[in-house]
Amino acid sequence: MIAEKSVGRVPENVLDAIRERLDIVDVVRDYIPQLRSLGRNFKALCPFHQEKTSSFMVSQEKQIFHCFGCGAGGDIYKFVMQIDGLSFPEAVEKCAARAGVSLESYKARPTPRDREREELKKAMAFAQKFYRAVLTRRQSAEAVAAQKYLEGRKVSAEIAERFGLGWAPGGGSAFLEEALGRDFSPEILSRAGLAAYRESAGKYRDAFWKRVLFPIRDPKGEVVGFGGRVLGDEEPKYLNSPETPLFSKGKVLYGFFEGLAEIRRRKKLVLLEGYMDVLAAHQFGIGCCVAPLGTAVTEAHGLLIKRYAQEVILLFDPDPAGQRASMRSAELLMELGIPVSIATLPEALDPDEFLHLRGAAAFEKRLEAAQDLIDFQLEAALREAGPGDKPKIAAELLHTVAKQPDQILKGEWIRRLSNRLDLDEGSLKAELERTSKKNPSSAPSRITPKQGGREPEAPLNFETEVTRFLLRYPNYAREAAGLKEAEFADARCRQIFDAMRQLIKDAPLERRSVLPRLIEALPEHSEWLTSLGLESSEFLSPQVEWEAIRKRFRRQSLLRKKELLDVQIRAMTEGAVPADAEIQKEYQRVLKELKGS
């Protein structure tokens, strides 16, 4: 296997050693605590799609998982890749760390870009510790004022510590002096967004001063940027790190790393508007809340969210700007295939204020009452509408309906508009079609397939049964010398049989390792392999079953050969081609063997 960045070529025996030290059941249970035993396997609701009945299975014996609902399946590496949104090399590193297996000797030689990124990460980690220490030591009147500000905003000491809040002192050089004394170069500090060269002063100065700092982490927990807030009325009130090789505000979400475990558990993410809203939500135990960094929700945000959450609730400030941002963000997430709804708070309260006034239970009720996008837009339009405005409202909302990729939900939205606006459903459908033609990019012509849908089912034929048997008893592939992969009519079975013979060439295979090895060799068939593997069962006498398989397989091969020879013999009989004694002899041999079988 080739790791893309962090690890180089890792031999199969090392990948196997990692697997042998881990149990896929333990790894899956870390993400899905509800995983429960069901006979020889374990079962839970699938983390990769929405379902009400458990169809996600894990085999401890075979060290694989498979969902019979969406088709997701694979070995321990595939599970970690899908659940954490990692590449294969990253999944190998994560599993190796858990298993206590060192990959140092397989590390790829770092490029100049890799070395720079490592230096930038070290600088950011140092900055976070420095600014945190300045705040907590309270050695200046500024730091004391910052602590009092946070206390006034009712930020608990526990949340301040968990999120690593800090204080950037005034003067413009305190951090820089400390960092230079730790051998960080001014160029690296500048590239990290921690220092900036001031032409007027002719030297580097701190990027942040006299601000409360909110460290911004990537999904792995590494600090990649900062958001800073002044204590007074100076402008700008909030200041984010500039774009750097580590940080892009359109790609990260504040509180995402801190809330990742809760997001995974609830399969839900709540988008709020600001740092203080997120801190308050987490302080009140609602850990699935995150916020964009003073910018609109982007496609990159949506793709990040889609890896971990099956539902998004938007709760932005109640002012007109906040409501417009909610609708824009909801449309973008909807077009990415993410179920999205919009919640509101009463009395023009923002989430931070509401939580401290009303508490977590009242906040959760507001989330439960969230409306989907079309209902939210319809309610907003009706509040502003006058007599005779209904056709105009419908025309505006049909632009949203046209962007909905789910055709079933699109039909439901049309029915709702028809009922609420008292307009003919057929007329709305006709207008929707015209709207879609004007905006073809927002009007998919077919139902969008579900992410991670299963491969088309092959007919449950004899060759499939042979493959299922060999997955259960892999070492019988060594006895299959009389069989040739060319004799398999089913392409998938042929490839699996050939891969299994290659794997078993040097040494016997343990049942536990065969499926993971095949999944690595044939990733395009991983879902079908895990499905077959979970369905395979024990035989009272595998040897007897194997002998029956060999005989039947040989007969099927002879029948296919006879069909080809039939055509050639017929052509000779009809005089279309000259007689061929060898073909006639082979034909008689096949007929004789078939009669004996």
Side-chain angles (χ1 to χ4, degrees), residues 345-365:
L345 296 176
E347 302 167 19
L349 295 172
D350 62 33
D352 175 33
E353 295 167 330
F354 185 92
L355 280 160
H356 285 292
L357 283 172
R358 308 282 180 85
F363 189 79
E364 290 277 16
K365 283 184 179 179

Side-chain angles (χ1 to χ4, degrees), residues 48-49 70-72 303 306-307 336 448-454:
F48 305 119
H49 81 289
C70 69
L303 293 174
K306 197 172 182 178
R307 292 182 196 170
L336 289 173
T448 303
K450 287 185 180 179
Q451 185 185 24
R454 69 171 71 186

Side-chain angles (χ1 to χ4, degrees), residues 569-585:
I569 294 294
R570 191 179 304 113
M572 290 182 212
T573 304
E574 294 171 353
V577 296
D580 187 318
E582 288 299 319
I583 291 176
Q584 291 172 331
K585 185 178 178 180

